[in-house]
């Protein structure tokens, strides 16, 4: 669905509630996809949101709830009673429930813990203690585990009995008697194997796994690299603690991409949704970098002031400054964007630094020659500028493009080397740095070529 269709559904639902056509509303909601349902109703006013939510069947309501934004989940929780909340959480997958509890106020978490069994309470508390950026915080305990001395027939019977409550059954994990991870076996392998074969003989032992304390961004990269639908998570004793599924990783990829985009635009990242933030919160995330860039830009004005004696003799040179600095900024932004993305996806690393820098140098030479040649002809033909001035500006552009391409490659790699996020070395910062360097080159060449 597109935005217009969502809006039309919202208007229709509000009209149905106002006209008490609740049976018709319930039938339409029953036919809608859970993701679309969440998108439609979460932007409604509290009264309409709650009525539509209560029209959903219990299982579907829990699914819709899991796809809603934390702010809208809180709106529902604040309006429903304890038994309704308990029903929602009972229907949710364990990892979805943990994600929701992490966003909820302490009184809601306490309410949930009071309704839980001692075993569930222990598991919930353990998950809530994991660092929010760790693999442990996004794993689920709803997986199928097998024993290595079982036969295929016993394994399939176990899956039939317990698999319906698990998040994923396509990959089953083999544990020792002490819960240590030994290997895995796919459902496909179990189905085609001889029913009397032992799990120990058909399981795969070449495992990709993570520790509960590993960074979740590394997990996302592993999913991209290996194409798995689930990856196991172990503790320090190599005991299987849970698994991470591909749908959880999609959320990580989206969050990390959003964070990088914010940093590249010189904005401090925020975990809150845009519409949930006040103007003051948005401004607070932007002001620090704006101040840094504004103050650093005073260096540019200082350079221009220093070379005022050149501009006083050749005033026409000032008219080319915006074009030269913009070309430098654009060239650097192109390189930095490509390099930052390649670092983020694991395509390049520090070991590839020399190759990346040399490649960007060659790209800079090609781009610089083309741009400077076109500019030289443009100045001679259309502006009838002096040939020395035309040569000066064109040579500056050549140097600017080469230097900008090099800096666009070097700065993100340098940030990676000192354990900073390469995304901070994006267009805003690079443009500010390049502007100052380019002006020094421009006026330096002017003093040589024009004999000042």
């Amino acid at each position: 669905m597109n935005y217009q269709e969502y809006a039309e559904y919202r208007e229709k639902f509000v009209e149905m509630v106002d006209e008490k056509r609740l049976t018709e509303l319930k039938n339409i909601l029953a036919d809608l996809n859970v993701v679309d349902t969440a998108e439609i109703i979460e932007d409604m006013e509290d009264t309409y949101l709650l009525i539509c939510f209560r029209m959903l069947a219990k299982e579907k309501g829990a699914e819709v709830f899991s796809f809603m934004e934390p702010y809208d989940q809180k709106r529902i929780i604040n309006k429903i009673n304890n038994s309704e909340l308990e029903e929602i959480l009972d229907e949710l997958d364990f990892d979805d429930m943990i994600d929701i509890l992490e966003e909820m106020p302490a009184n809601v978490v306490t309410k949930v813990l009071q309704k839980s069994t001692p075993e569930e309470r222990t598991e919930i508390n353990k998950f809530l203690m994991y660092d929010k950026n760790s693999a442990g915080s996004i794993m689920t305990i709803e997986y199928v585990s097998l024993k290595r001395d079982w036969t295929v027939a016993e394994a399939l019977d176990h899956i039939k009995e317990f698999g319906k409550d698990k998040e994923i059954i396509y990959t089953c994990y083999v544990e020792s008697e002490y819960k240590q991870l030994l290997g895995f076996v796919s459902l496909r392998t179990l189905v085609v194997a001889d029913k009397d074969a032992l799990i120990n003989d058909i399981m795969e032992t070449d495992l990709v796994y993570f520790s509960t304390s590993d960074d979740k961004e590394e997990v996302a990269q592993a999913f991209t690299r290996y194409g798995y639908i689930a990856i196991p998570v172990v503790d320090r004793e190599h005991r299987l603690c849970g698994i991470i599924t591909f749908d959880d990783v999609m959320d990580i990829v989206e969050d990390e991409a959003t964070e990088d985009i914010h940093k590249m635009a010189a904005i401090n990242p925020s975990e809150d949704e845009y519409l949930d933030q006040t103007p003051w919160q948005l401004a607070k995330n932007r002001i620090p970098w704006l101040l840094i860039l504004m103050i650093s830009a005073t260096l540019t004005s200082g350079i221009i002031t220093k070379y005022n004696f050149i501009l006083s003799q050749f005033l026409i040179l000032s008219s080319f400054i915006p074009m030269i600095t913009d070309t430098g900024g654009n060239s650097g932004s192109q390189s930095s964007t490509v390099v930052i993305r390649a670092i983020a996806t694991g395509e390049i690393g520090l070991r590839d630094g020399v190759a990346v820098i040399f490649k960007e140098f060659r790209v800079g030479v090609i781009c610089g020659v083309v741009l400077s040649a076109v500019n030289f002809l443009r100045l001679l033909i259309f502006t009838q500028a002096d040939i020395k001035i035309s040569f000066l500006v064109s040579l500056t552009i050549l140097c600017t493009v080469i230097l900008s391409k090099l800096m666009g490659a070097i700065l993100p790699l340098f940030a990676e080397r000192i354990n900073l996020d390469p995304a901070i070395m994006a267009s805003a910062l690079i443009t500010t740095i390049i502007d100052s360097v380019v002006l020094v080159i421009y006026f330096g060449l002017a003093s040589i070529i024009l004999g000042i």
Side-chain angles (χ1 to χ4, degrees):
M1 285 190 188
N2 55 40
Y3 179 80
Q4 183 62 36
E5 289 176 307
Y6 286 138
E8 290 173 359
Y9 267 107
R10 286 189 200 103
E11 291 177 8
K12 184 189 297 185
F13 290 172
V14 169
E15 182 181 321
M16 288 179 176
V17 172
D18 290 339
E19 296 175 0
K20 304 293 189 294
R21 293 153 52 197
L22 299 185
T23 303
E24 186 180 351
L25 172 62
K26 185 174 183 179
N27 293 334
I28 294 176
L29 286 168
D31 293 334
L32 282 174
N33 177 277
V34 291
V35 178
D36 290 333
T37 304
E39 189 73 30
I40 292 167
I41 69 173
E42 67 182 359
D43 286 335
M44 291 180 165
E45 294 180 9
D46 288 358
T47 303
Y48 296 106
L49 167 65
L50 195 59
I51 291 174
C52 288
F53 185 76
R54 282 176 167 157
M55 289 291 104
L56 298 168
K58 184 170 66 173
E59 291 183 4
K60 185 171 183 177
E63 276 195 87
V64 169
F65 186 83
S66 69
F67 282 107
M68 298 177 76
E69 298 296 337
Y71 171 77
D72 299 301
Q73 290 173 342
K74 291 176 186 176
R75 290 168 61 200
I76 290 178
I77 287 176
N78 290 333
K79 297 290 183 180
I80 62 178
N81 55 45
N82 289 354
S83 61
E84 287 177 306
L85 175 60
E86 189 176 351
E87 285 181 359
I88 292 173
L89 296 176
D90 284 344
E91 294 295 331
L92 288 173
D93 289 333
F94 186 82
D95 58 331
D96 289 332
M97 180 180 69
I98 294 298
D99 290 341
I100 290 168
L101 290 179
E102 286 178 335
E103 301 290 341
M104 295 298 113
N107 63 312
V108 174
V109 178
T110 302
K111 190 188 302 184
V112 172
L113 292 174
Q114 289 172 347
K115 297 288 183 179
S116 305
T117 64
E119 294 79 10
E120 291 173 336
R121 198 175 302 127
T122 301
E123 289 292 342
I124 291 171
N125 279 321
K126 183 170 72 174
F127 272 71
L128 291 176
M129 289 175 64
Y130 287 124
D131 185 276
K132 66 177 182 177
N133 292 316
S134 69
S137 69
I138 58 171
M139 69 182 182
T140 178
I141 57 173
E142 293 170 340
Y143 60 90
V144 176
S145 62
L146 307 175
K147 302 300 181 185
R148 61 180 171 182
D149 56 350
W150 286 0
T151 64
V152 168
E154 290 174 322
L156 288 172
D157 288 340
H158 178 78
I159 294 171
K160 288 177 183 176
E161 183 177 356
F162 298 102
K164 62 180 180 294
D165 297 323
K166 306 302 181 183
E167 184 161 346
I168 191 169
I169 63 171
Y170 305 112
T171 303
C172 305
Y173 297 92
V174 184
E175 297 177 325
S176 71
E177 55 189 296
Y178 303 108
K179 283 188 65 66
Q180 290 178 317
L181 178 63
L182 302 175
F184 72 93
V185 59
S186 69
L187 184 60
R188 178 192 179 106
T189 301
L190 289 172
V191 170
V192 301
D194 187 283
K195 65 178 182 179
D196 295 321
L198 291 176
I199 297 298
N200 188 67
D201 297 332
I202 64 172
M203 71 178 182
E204 297 282 346
T205 55
D206 183 16
L207 284 165
V208 174
Y209 59 86
F210 284 90
S211 166
T212 53
S213 59
D214 286 336
D215 193 292
K216 63 182 183 181
E217 191 171 354
E218 295 177 12
V219 178
Q221 292 173 353
F223 271 89
T224 303
R225 184 178 303 116
Y226 298 108
Y228 291 148
I229 60 173
I231 290 181
V233 181
V234 299
D235 62 13
R236 292 179 181 176
E237 283 75 41
H238 203 69
R239 292 175 299 196
L240 184 59
C241 298
I243 64 170
I244 297 172
T245 55
F246 67 93
D247 57 325
D248 296 315
V249 169
M250 289 172 65
D251 296 334
I252 300 171
V253 171
E254 181 181 349
D255 292 343
E256 295 296 338
T258 302
E259 181 180 330
D260 285 346
I261 290 170
H262 283 174
K263 288 181 178 178
M264 291 173 72
I267 301 173
N268 290 332
S270 173
E271 294 182 359
D272 296 328
E273 293 292 316
Y274 176 80
L275 292 177
D276 295 340
Q277 298 181 69
T278 64
W280 166 245
Q281 288 176 305
L282 292 170
K284 189 172 61 175
N285 291 332
R286 302 177 190 183
I287 287 173
W289 272 107
L290 288 175
L291 284 172
I292 292 171
L293 295 173
M294 181 186 71
I295 293 171
S296 61
T298 57
L299 181 60
T300 303
S301 61
I303 293 170
I304 293 175
T305 303
K306 179 181 178 181
Y307 289 99
N308 260 340
F309 68 95
I310 295 178
L311 293 176
S312 64
Q313 297 180 56
F314 296 91
L315 188 59
I316 191 173
L317 294 182
S318 62
S319 65
F320 299 119
I321 291 176
M323 179 189 67
I324 293 172
T325 55
D326 286 350
T327 300
N330 294 335
S331 300
S333 296
Q334 286 181 334
S335 294
S336 65
T337 300
V338 172
V339 172
I340 289 169
R341 185 58 187 161
I343 292 173
T345 59
E347 185 181 344
I348 63 173
L350 293 175
R351 66 186 182 281
D352 306 305
V354 174
V356 171
I357 292 169
F358 183 52
K359 178 167 285 190
E360 287 300 322
F361 170 75
R362 287 177 290 171
V363 172
V365 170
I366 296 170
C367 293
V369 168
V370 172
L371 292 177
S372 60
V374 171
N375 186 69
F376 184 75
L377 294 174
R378 180 185 69 85
L379 292 176
L380 286 180
I381 296 171
F382 296 105
T383 66
Q384 298 180 343
D386 182 81
I387 192 167
K388 284 188 176 182
I389 299 293
S390 301
F391 179 70
L392 165 63
V393 175
S394 300
L395 181 60
T396 303
I397 287 178
L398 174 61
C399 297
T400 296
V401 172
I402 294 174
L403 180 65
S404 300
K405 294 292 185 187
L406 287 172
M407 292 184 70
I410 293 171
L411 290 178
L413 289 169
F414 176 70
E416 178 76 0
R417 179 67 181 83
I418 60 175
N419 297 320
L420 291 177
D421 191 334
I424 65 173
M425 297 297 182
S427 56
L429 185 58
I430 281 184
T431 299
T432 303
I433 296 172
I434 289 174
D435 284 352
S436 301
V437 177
V438 163
L439 286 176
V440 173
I441 294 173
Y442 183 41
F443 290 120
L445 290 174
S447 62
I448 296 171
I449 295 172
L450 301 177
I452 302 173

